[in-house]
Amino acid sequence: MVPIRIGFVSRNDAESIRLAGSLIDHFRDRAEIFVEPELAEHLGLKGTPVGEMDVDFIVSIGGDGTILRTIHKMEDPRPVLGINMGTVGFLVDVEPKDAVRTIEHLLLGFEVDERTRIETLLRGERLPPATNEVALITSSPAKMLDFEIKVNGSPLERLRADGMIFATSTGSTAYAMSAGGPIVDPHLDAIVLVPVAPFKLSARPWVIRGDSVIEVDLKLPGKEALVVVDGQTMATVTHGDEIVMRRAERPARFVKASRDGFYEKVKAKLV
């Protein structure tokens, strides 16, 4: 019987690294272990880049940012299990005290939860797909952008604002929520559009179909903006640059470590 293959990634702090080392020691005799290079260096082990890990799932020790960085490194994301190291994240499901018991259970088999991502084409070049959101924001503080948004070729909105957030359902509880967007069940196939500080009282968030094609056009020559994907990848855009967003071909994948308690999680984390 082929042993289960587990990858390990970690936030770069002493507590997370210590937990990663403990879990690796505990499971090394029952699983084939792969460790990201930075973590491996701390533990004196051989490292494997995340994008080259041929594993059944990856254990991510840290917060939502650690998970997002991990997913960004994979062309076709492997399932991720998040171990929560004291953050208020929505992608991390397991507390450190439950890590061993949870992974023990996963050795017997597990289900995978697939989440839609957003792909962005900028000047025809593909940016890493977004698990949470694509943010279009001003590159100059206190300088508003003027932009038009089209959905499936039809004008949706023209705004002057500090920016716009294009979030997946999964990302509706992240930056989009902080900007006043709705909380959306992560299993809905939808894209959430949330204006950031719009100069227009009638500007409101939109929830559109997940298979929509979104085009963004900056209207003022000479003004620059930033496109930021999941807080991980950043690119500069200006008037005339083609920005197109659509559903990514490959989803993000998460290990189902417990029953689907999304509503309970929202109430527990947002009190």
Side-chain angles (χ1 to χ4, degrees):
M1 181 177 177
V2 177
I4 195 166
R5 296 160 297 176
I6 306 174
F8 282 87
V9 302
S10 170
R11 196 167 60 188
N12 191 26
D13 65 82
E15 187 179 4
S16 298
I17 293 168
R18 187 162 49 249
L19 177 58
S22 174
L23 293 174
I24 290 168
D25 287 342
H26 187 88
F27 289 102
R28 68 168 67 251
D29 292 334
R30 286 179 290 163
E32 187 176 354
I33 302 295
F34 296 80
V35 185
E36 66 166 343
E38 189 173 2
L39 175 59
E41 185 175 348
H42 286 291
L43 300 176
L45 301 172
K46 177 185 175 182
T48 303
V50 171
E52 299 177 12
M53 288 185 180
D54 182 16
V55 295
D56 294 288
F57 65 92
I58 292 176
V59 177
S60 173
I61 302 169
D64 281 4
T66 309
I67 289 178
L68 294 172
R69 282 192 296 275
T70 299
I71 294 174
H72 271 234
K73 294 175 181 177
M74 295 182 281
E75 186 67 27
D76 189 6
R78 309 307 299 160
V80 177
L81 174 72
I83 309 296
N84 183 21
M85 298 303 289
T87 65
V88 190
F90 278 83
L91 302 179
V92 284
D93 282 331
V94 180
E95 296 302 316
K97 63 182 176 60
D98 300 321
V100 170
R101 178 180 58 82
T102 300
I103 297 173
E104 293 269 8
H105 181 72
L106 298 179
L107 294 180
L108 304 176
F110 59 89
E111 294 181 56
V112 175
D113 184 13
E114 294 192 343
R115 303 283 186 87
T116 297
R117 298 190 294 167
I118 297 173
E119 177 181 88
T120 302
L121 293 174
L122 176 58
R123 298 181 289 269
E125 296 292 325
R126 187 171 72 92
L127 300 180
T131 301
N132 269 356
E133 78 279 311
V134 178
L136 175 72
I137 56 176
T138 178
S139 60
S140 302
K143 296 290 186 179
M144 288 190 296
L145 301 176
D146 185 343
F147 54 91
E148 182 180 34
I149 299 170
K150 293 182 180 179
V151 175
N152 298 325
S154 298
L156 176 77
E157 191 80 85
R158 177 164 178 174
L159 282 175
R160 293 175 64 208
D162 284 356
M164 194 82 176
I165 300 166
F166 305 86
T168 64
S169 296
T170 299
S172 71
T173 50
Y175 189 7
M177 182 184 69
S178 298
I183 294 173
V184 180
D185 187 307
H187 296 101
L188 288 179
D189 184 19
I191 300 175
V192 182
L193 282 63
V194 184
V196 180
F199 192 70
K200 183 177 176 182
L201 292 177
S202 61
R204 293 292 184 267
W206 288 82
V207 180
I208 65 175
R209 288 170 44 137
D211 61 356
S212 301
V213 177
I214 303 166
E215 299 170 75
V216 183
D217 180 22
L218 296 180
K219 306 305 289 188
L220 296 180
K223 275 205 173 183
E224 289 190 340
L226 298 175
V227 173
V228 185
V229 181
D230 282 345
Q232 308 298 316
T233 300
M234 184 182 303
T236 301
V237 295
T238 189
H239 174 69
D241 288 343
E242 183 182 50
I243 308 169
V244 180
M245 283 169 267
R246 58 168 65 97
R247 179 199 290 148
E249 180 181 349
R250 295 186 176 98
R253 299 181 177 94
F254 297 91
V255 174
K256 282 189 177 180
S258 60
R259 68 183 182 85
D260 188 3
F262 173 71
Y263 303 112
E264 291 85 349
K265 185 186 293 186
V266 168
K267 287 187 287 185
K269 290 181 179 287
L270 299 182
V271 293

